[in-house]
């Protein structure tokens, strides 16, 4: 991860500081911006480099090897997606990627909530047998960081540090995407403007890469308010998802972000890690101290946009997102876009 210095468009939080400093910094970063750089996380840089090397090896495989594990083959939305094979808000995203979740048996079926289909086995490319082991190491390392952040957030908001623990017990529905954005694409949208459906995201961005943008403003034009968020040496880029908005009544902000390919001189590798609770878990709603509640937008509501409500049960929110992003997978397995859980 390459350095851009400390004068950045988003805050920097360092877990090596005192608990009080960390909690105050996390609370304000997630309230004011929803994005921040995270230092002092303890994840070895050697492991990060191995993950990026594995990503390069994955995308260097013959196209036929990648297509053999195409997501459309999986009822669990796991596997490889070709360039142009995903949508954000109905527009084509120009990236190729593989989606990997916890390796567990399928639990979906008749009479059960549709979102339970999101649990199931992964598809692994035969030409990269080391990938499952590297992904397991990455999952273990980042899960520990994510749990630490959640405990600090809970405490910073006046709740017991373990307030979120029960929702993540036993079978958290984590998701790892390994993504390549091309240098030259058919369109300028690497991934369109969106907010993450879960709780929090830890992003590993390739050194020297660009394209990630966060919307700081609220201008009327679609291109208003966007600022670049380049990699910072030794840091993860962290953002919160819609469920932390729900948990805090809108006090913490899930911010819109995108990847723009305009003027991209080189391809870009990134590996977002989405830390999410069990599929059937309902995120707890915290009771905020009066001084924090007074700083919350009283107009905030999970149903403020009737066309895109935020569901407190994680599986329902994730199912909505998957159906919209991958209509080909939904069609292949008979999932109705009108049923979100």
């Amino acid at each position: 991860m390459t350095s851009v210095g400390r004068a950045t468009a988003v805050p920097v939080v360092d877990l090596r500081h005192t608990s009080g400093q960390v909690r105050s910094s996390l609370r304000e970063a997630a309230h004011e911006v929803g994005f921040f750089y995270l230092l002092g996380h303890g994840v070895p840089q050697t492991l990060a480099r191995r993950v990026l090397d594995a990503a390069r090896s994955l995308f260097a495989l013959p196209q036929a090897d990648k297509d053999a594990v195409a997501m459309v083959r999986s009822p669990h939305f796991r596997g490889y997606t070709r360039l142009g094979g995903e949508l954000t808000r109905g527009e084509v995203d120009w990236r190729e990627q593989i989606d990997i979740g916890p390796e567990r048996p399928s639990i979906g079926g008749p009479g059960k909530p549709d979102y339970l289909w999101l649990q199931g086995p992964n598809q692994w490319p035969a030409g990269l047998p080391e990938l499952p082991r590297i992904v397991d190491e990455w999952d273990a390392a980042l899960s520990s960081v994510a749990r630490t952040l959640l405990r600090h957030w809970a405490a910073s908001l006046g709740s017991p540090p373990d307030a979120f623990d029960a929702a993540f017990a036993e079978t958290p529905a984590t998701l790892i995407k390994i993504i390549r954005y091309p240098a030259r694409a058919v369109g300028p949208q690497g991934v369109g403007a969106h907010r993450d459906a879960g709780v929090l995201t830890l992003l590993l961005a390739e050194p020297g890469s660009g394209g990630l943008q966060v919307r700081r403003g609220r201008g009327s034009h679609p291109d208003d308010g966007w600022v670049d968020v380049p990699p910072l040496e030794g840091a993860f880029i962290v953002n919160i998802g819609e469920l932390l908005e729900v948990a805090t009544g809108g006090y913490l902000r899930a911010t819109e972000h995108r990847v723009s390919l305009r003027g991209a001189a080189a391809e870009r590798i990134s590996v977002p890690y989405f830390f999410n609770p069990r599929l059937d878990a309902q995120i707890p709603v915290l009771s905020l101290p009066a001084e924090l509640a007074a700083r919350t937008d009283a107009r905030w509501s999970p149903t403020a946009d009737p066309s895109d409500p935020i569901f407190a049960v994680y599986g329902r929110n994730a199912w909505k997102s998957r159906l919209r992003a991958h209509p080909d997978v939904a069609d292949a397995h008979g999932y109705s876009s009108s049923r979100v859980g």
Side-chain angles (χ1 to χ4, degrees):
M1 305 177 209
T2 190
S3 175
V4 296
R6 295 302 180 90
T8 62
V10 299
V12 177
V13 175
D14 195 329
L15 287 177
R16 292 167 296 196
H17 292 164
T18 67
S19 291
Q21 289 173 314
V22 168
R23 290 170 180 177
S24 176
S25 296
L26 283 173
R27 183 182 65 239
E28 292 310 301
H31 172 67
E32 296 290 344
V33 185
F35 264 77
F36 58 92
Y37 293 103
L38 183 69
L39 293 169
H41 46 71
V43 177
Q45 292 301 291
T46 52
L47 177 57
R49 286 193 291 271
R50 286 173 56 212
V51 169
L52 291 173
D53 288 346
R56 285 282 175 197
S57 298
L58 168 69
F59 295 120
L61 291 174
Q63 190 64 49
D65 289 9
K66 294 182 285 188
D67 288 340
V69 294
M71 183 186 283
V72 74
R73 301 172 183 267
S74 168
H76 315 296
F77 293 86
R78 306 286 178 83
Y80 172 77
T81 301
R82 273 184 174 234
L83 285 169
E86 185 178 29
L87 304 176
T88 299
R89 295 182 177 174
E91 300 294 327
V92 173
D93 295 329
W94 293 105
R95 61 181 185 173
E96 63 174 325
Q97 63 191 350
I98 190 168
D99 285 55
I100 303 167
E103 193 67 49
R104 299 185 185 126
S106 174
I107 56 174
K112 298 180 179 180
D114 286 348
Y115 62 72
L116 293 181
W117 282 111
L118 294 175
Q119 177 172 311
N122 293 298
Q123 297 190 90
W124 300 102
L128 198 60
E130 65 270 31
L131 186 60
R133 177 173 48 81
I134 293 172
V135 166
D136 281 348
E137 289 184 54
W138 194 240
D139 177 56
L142 269 64
S143 173
S144 177
V145 175
R147 291 177 187 276
T148 296
L149 291 177
L150 284 176
R151 289 172 183 142
H152 279 311
W153 261 314
S156 77
L157 296 167
S159 291
D162 63 356
F164 295 113
D165 285 6
F168 290 86
E170 300 173 3
T171 54
T174 53
L175 179 68
I176 296 172
K177 285 179 176 281
I178 302 175
I179 304 169
R180 184 184 77 89
Y181 297 94
R184 296 173 181 83
V186 175
Q189 177 171 299
V191 62
H194 66 285
R195 294 152 33 110
D196 291 348
V199 170
L200 69 93
T201 305
L202 295 160
L203 175 69
L204 172 65
E206 191 172 37
S209 63
L212 176 63
Q213 298 179 324
V214 175
R215 194 169 194 186
R216 290 292 308 265
R218 290 291 186 269
S220 57
H221 190 276
D223 285 331
D224 286 347
W226 292 99
V227 296
D228 293 327
V229 185
L232 176 66
E233 183 177 357
F236 287 113
I237 299 169
V238 184
N239 66 278
I240 72 167
E242 292 176 327
L243 290 194
L244 273 187
E245 276 202 359
V246 171
T248 61
Y251 181 79
L252 301 187
R253 294 176 52 197
T255 308
E256 275 193 318
H257 51 289
R258 68 185 185 185
V259 172
S260 173
L261 300 181
R262 288 189 178 91
E267 66 180 22
R268 176 179 188 268
I269 300 292
S270 67
V271 185
Y273 176 86
F274 303 93
F275 190 62
N276 303 312
R278 295 188 323 277
L279 289 171
D280 64 350
Q282 180 160 326
I283 203 73
V285 176
L286 307 183
S287 179
L288 299 183
E291 64 271 21
L292 300 184
R295 297 173 60 195
T296 302
D297 185 349
R299 298 168 297 177
W300 183 90
S301 167
T303 58
D305 181 355
S307 68
D308 191 22
I310 305 173
F311 299 107
V313 174
Y314 168 65
R316 295 189 70 195
N317 223 38
W319 186 251
K320 172 193 67 176
S321 175
R322 300 266 87 182
L323 292 179
R324 293 175 177 178
H326 298 280
D328 57 334
V329 179
D331 290 343
H333 299 283
Y335 302 142
S336 170
S337 59
S338 64
R339 300 201 318 265
V340 291

